[in-house]
Amino acid sequence: MKVEAFQIAEEIDLKKFRADYTTLPLISNSSELLYQHGENEFFYLLSYGVVAFAGIEDLEASTLLKFIRTYAKDHVKEDYREDVAVNIKPESGVIFDYTSITVPELSPNGLRLIMLNISQSVALDYYEALSDEILKNTKKMTRQLEQTGRLRGSQKELLQFIGKTLSIKNSIIDDLYIFDAPDSVWENELLGRIDDAIKRTLDLRMRYRDIDYKLKIVHENLTVFTDLMQNRESTRLEWIVIILIMIEVVHLFWK
């Protein structure tokens, strides 16, 4: 069975999708929906814009993706995807590499866990690209400050930039089970081994820390930029007050 995940948007309206889609989900909460599409066929929707398929042929998956995109917000144009082959061997342990995972048995919860971690890996690729772009823009602003001694742009633009940085960090913290795990993992030893094997092989925790480190660098720089921008605004207001006072003095003198 092939499991593949796609980052299609920044958000999927799960509540509306569940209301419109006639089949009842196997798993449903505010952050995820898991459906059985046919015999040994499943698809999985996550609120942070990722869709995963298991056992579904490419043509059918493409049709479903097109339908699911109508419930997505802020579509992602770049191609972020990942796939893995799932093999079931009753006498084996949990064996995972970058292209396949072998398990002794596979329950719906086990499949959901595999789909969840592959989806998180795709989401981390997306967040990493966003954090790289933000870090690149921050370095550009730093070079401007070094070369010209001042920052270009308005305070509003800087605040929007800060907001985007915080939004990425909050999305990672709120949406992903990078350090925690679903409740089912703590109740089942096999699920725990599957979860741990995937997280270690895909370096989910290390990749998260790398993104977090980049965003901290950005945050430290933006704190300095904000202070400089506020000082610039304060100086501008002081000059406005001085000019108004001078105008008033001149006006009184000529009266």
Side-chain angles (χ1 to χ4, degrees):
M1 176 187 293
K2 181 172 76 170
V3 172
E4 52 187 342
F6 304 83
Q7 179 88 44
I8 65 168
E10 292 192 0
E11 182 182 351
I12 297 175
D13 190 339
L14 300 186
K15 185 176 181 181
K16 190 173 189 307
F17 184 90
R18 181 177 180 181
D20 293 348
Y21 199 68
T22 55
T23 304
L24 290 176
L26 300 177
I27 296 174
S28 173
N29 56 53
S30 61
S31 63
E32 59 186 335
L33 291 172
L34 175 64
Y35 288 93
Q36 183 163 1
H37 186 62
E39 187 176 358
N40 295 321
E41 294 181 338
F42 303 84
F43 68 94
Y44 188 46
L45 280 64
L46 291 148
S47 60
Y48 47 87
V50 178
V51 182
F53 302 102
I56 298 179
E57 295 297 325
D58 291 344
L59 182 60
E60 183 64 20
S62 179
T63 301
L64 280 169
L65 267 180
K66 185 176 180 180
F67 173 65
I68 295 168
R69 285 181 192 276
T70 62
Y71 294 86
K73 302 175 184 177
D74 299 320
H75 291 233
V76 173
K77 296 179 181 178
E78 294 80 4
D79 186 22
Y80 295 98
R81 66 171 71 190
E82 196 161 329
D83 63 81
V84 63
V86 180
N87 305 307
I88 303 172
K89 293 183 179 180
E91 302 301 321
S92 77
V94 177
I95 305 169
F96 187 78
D97 58 34
Y98 290 102
T99 60
S100 68
I101 180 168
T102 301
V103 293
E105 59 183 74
L106 189 63
S107 65
N109 273 329
L111 181 60
R112 173 248 186 166
L113 189 60
I114 294 170
M115 297 172 81
L116 172 63
N117 277 292
I118 299 301
S119 297
Q120 291 187 136
S121 182
V122 172
L124 282 175
D125 284 342
Y126 174 61
Y127 288 133
E128 183 177 14
L130 290 180
S131 63
D132 284 344
E133 183 64 23
I134 286 177
L135 184 59
K136 178 182 176 182
N137 290 334
T138 303
K139 289 180 178 178
K140 183 178 178 181
M141 295 169 68
T142 303
R143 283 194 298 271
Q144 286 178 355
L145 184 61
E146 179 185 4
Q147 294 169 1
T148 67
R150 61 190 181 89
L151 289 171
R152 296 179 182 177
S154 66
Q155 188 173 20
K156 180 181 178 182
E157 289 171 336
L158 181 59
L159 291 174
Q160 288 176 330
F161 191 53
I162 293 172
K164 186 174 182 179
T165 304
L166 293 175
S167 177
I168 293 173
K169 188 163 187 177
N170 291 339
S171 295
I172 297 172
I173 293 172
D174 293 343
D175 296 332
L176 306 186
Y177 290 103
I178 301 300
F179 294 102
D180 295 324
D183 292 339
S184 59
V185 170
W186 304 108
E187 301 164 2
N188 185 294
E189 182 184 353
L190 177 59
L191 293 183
R193 283 188 280 134
I194 292 173
D195 185 63
D196 184 62
I198 298 176
K199 279 185 167 66
R200 280 190 291 104
T201 305
L202 295 178
D203 291 327
L204 297 188
R205 295 182 178 94
M206 183 62 69
R207 289 161 61 193
Y208 167 83
R209 290 190 181 99
D210 184 55
I211 295 171
D212 186 56
Y213 176 71
K214 291 175 184 176
L215 293 179
K216 283 180 180 177
I217 293 175
V218 172
H219 177 73
E220 289 171 1
N221 280 273
L222 291 181
T223 299
V224 175
F225 295 159
T226 303
D227 290 341
L228 290 173
M229 191 71 74
Q230 289 175 343
N231 288 336
R232 186 179 75 177
E233 185 68 16
S234 177
T235 301
R236 188 179 70 86
L237 291 174
E238 287 174 2
W239 274 108
I240 291 173
V241 171
I242 291 171
I243 292 170
L244 289 174
I245 292 174
M246 291 177 65
I247 292 173
E248 183 65 23
V249 170
V250 171
H251 177 71
L252 290 173
F253 178 79
W254 285 103
K255 278 183 76 171

